[in-house]
Amino acid sequence: MPVKQIMTETDLTNRQAFQAIGILHSSYYYQPKQVTNTLRLLNPQLCQAIIEIVERAPVYGYRKVHAVLRTKGWIVNHKKVLRYLRALNLLQPRKIKGHGYTSPAIVYPECSNSYWEMDLSYVWCGIGQGYLFVIIDGCDRGIPGDNFDERCRAKEAIRALEQGVLRRFGGRVPIGHRLRLRVDRGPQFTSREFKEAAARLGIELEYAGIRCPDDKPYIESFIGKYKVEEVYRHEYRSVSEAKMNWELYRTWYENERVHQSLRYQTPQKVLEQTQKIALAKV
């Protein structure tokens, strides 16, 4: 039965009649809008001006096209320029994003040699540039391995890794001991050689998210301190001089520099304490 007939025969209000037959008030009075062709509503003069700009600079997006139009005397909103470019099929192709990587959780290790972080730092050396691969222990904040060289290949990264395992474990991580190493997605760390070296040494690799420095807080903090406390205070004349100063800084850092996060103890002191605790549990 039509709604109007229900209202006249029963003396119901509109809302009561709609509720009786189970329809919404807005649905009854809905009127579809007339769909018009967008191209017919465009200003032909503005279209021609936009086409001329894009022909001269095909790499321009809507913001740059809008800026050029303003210099030519057009008073137009940037959103309108975007709508025109979309209607004229002149928008720049959108960047196709690659595989998405999730960021791992921050680790708070309770014992040494269970969680390491590794990164690469550039050091200006006057007549060239030096490259420092460095590893930090997330618990004692010591430097298990490092390599300062004139090149930054996967081979140099592997040397730092091998040195760290040699210092802390004597050559290889013992079977049954879990050691995680978190690195970024640089070409040195994602190379087949580096992955094979980590597997050979018994290290479990973890990769940080893309453009996520907070995923490696310990090594990022250390490199910042190294730059402030050592690099920015000197003007190196050669890579060998920068390397020598790095070795001096590393020795001072591990044996004398106190850390607020370590309750004002040195990394070497904390390492000795954690090793004693580990031996006591065996």
Side-chain angles (χ1 to χ4, degrees):
M1 183 180 296
V3 178
K4 292 183 177 179
Q5 185 177 352
I6 294 175
M7 290 187 293
T8 54
E9 294 181 359
T10 59
D11 296 330
L12 296 176
T13 63
N14 292 4
R15 189 173 299 278
Q16 292 173 342
F18 296 144
Q19 291 178 352
I21 61 177
I23 66 172
L24 297 175
H25 183 274
S26 58
S27 300
Y28 179 76
Y29 290 102
Y30 171 76
Q31 294 183 357
K33 297 180 180 180
Q34 296 292 333
V35 180
T36 57
N37 190 352
T38 306
L39 292 176
R40 295 179 181 177
L41 302 178
L42 300 181
N43 185 338
Q45 289 80 14
L46 181 57
C47 288
Q48 184 61 32
I50 292 176
I51 292 173
E52 292 178 357
I53 295 172
V54 174
E55 286 179 350
R56 293 179 60 87
V59 297
Y60 278 4
Y62 75 94
R63 292 184 178 88
K64 289 186 173 63
V65 173
H66 171 254
V68 176
L69 286 172
R70 294 295 297 269
T71 61
K72 294 181 178 294
W74 285 91
I75 301 176
V76 60
N77 186 275
H78 67 280
K79 294 182 180 180
K80 185 174 183 179
V81 176
L82 175 61
R83 178 168 61 86
Y84 271 61
L85 287 171
R86 183 179 289 115
L88 297 172
N89 196 25
L90 295 177
L91 283 176
Q92 293 294 313
R94 299 189 65 179
K95 179 181 179 181
I96 301 176
K97 297 184 178 179
H99 179 71
Y101 298 98
T102 56
S103 300
I106 298 177
V107 179
Y108 302 97
E110 297 181 355
C111 61
S112 299
N113 300 326
S114 62
Y115 175 78
W116 291 355
E117 292 179 355
M118 185 177 185
D119 206 348
L120 166 66
S121 180
Y122 303 86
V123 180
W124 177 246
C125 302
I127 59 175
Q129 190 161 245
Y131 304 93
L132 173 64
F133 285 98
V134 60
I135 304 172
I136 192 171
D137 190 297
C139 178
D140 57 58
R141 312 298 167 86
I143 308 299
D146 62 276
N147 186 79
F148 199 109
D149 209 312
E150 297 180 355
R151 306 185 70 174
C152 58
R153 303 168 297 177
K155 292 182 179 179
E156 284 71 35
I158 294 173
R159 289 174 189 168
L161 194 61
E162 292 175 342
Q163 185 186 88
V165 175
L166 180 62
R167 287 178 180 174
R168 292 292 179 97
F169 298 100
R172 191 189 187 282
V173 178
I175 298 176
H177 180 86
R178 186 188 185 192
L179 172 59
R180 290 182 291 169
L181 175 68
R182 184 173 294 182
V183 293
D184 57 27
R185 299 179 186 274
Q188 299 89 351
F189 305 129
T190 57
S191 64
R192 185 184 73 252
E193 295 86 353
F194 187 82
K195 293 179 180 179
E196 292 176 350
R200 171 172 50 84
L201 296 171
I203 299 175
E204 178 183 334
L205 284 180
E206 290 184 357
Y207 287 96
I210 298 176
R211 296 180 180 176
C212 297
D214 292 341
D215 290 347
K216 310 189 309 299
Y218 306 115
I219 190 64
E220 295 288 348
S221 177
F222 169 77
I223 291 178
K225 290 293 189 294
Y226 164 61
K227 293 293 184 69
V228 172
E229 297 174 351
E230 167 61 30
V231 177
Y232 300 153
R233 295 172 180 266
H234 298 85
E235 293 185 3
Y236 305 124
R237 293 169 293 182
S238 63
V239 175
S240 59
E241 181 182 352
K243 181 178 180 181
M244 180 184 64
N245 280 37
W246 154 249
E247 293 173 352
L248 293 173
Y249 175 81
R250 182 194 63 208
T251 303
W252 172 78
Y253 171 87
E254 289 195 300
N255 298 280
E256 298 182 34
R257 186 186 186 278
V258 295
H259 290 247
Q260 182 179 2
S261 59
L262 300 179
R263 297 182 179 179
Y264 298 99
Q265 300 182 90
T266 64
Q268 184 62 31
K269 185 68 174 180
V270 175
L271 174 61
E272 293 173 358
Q273 292 175 356
T274 55
Q275 288 177 341
K276 289 180 181 179
I277 295 174
L279 290 174
K281 291 181 180 180
V282 176

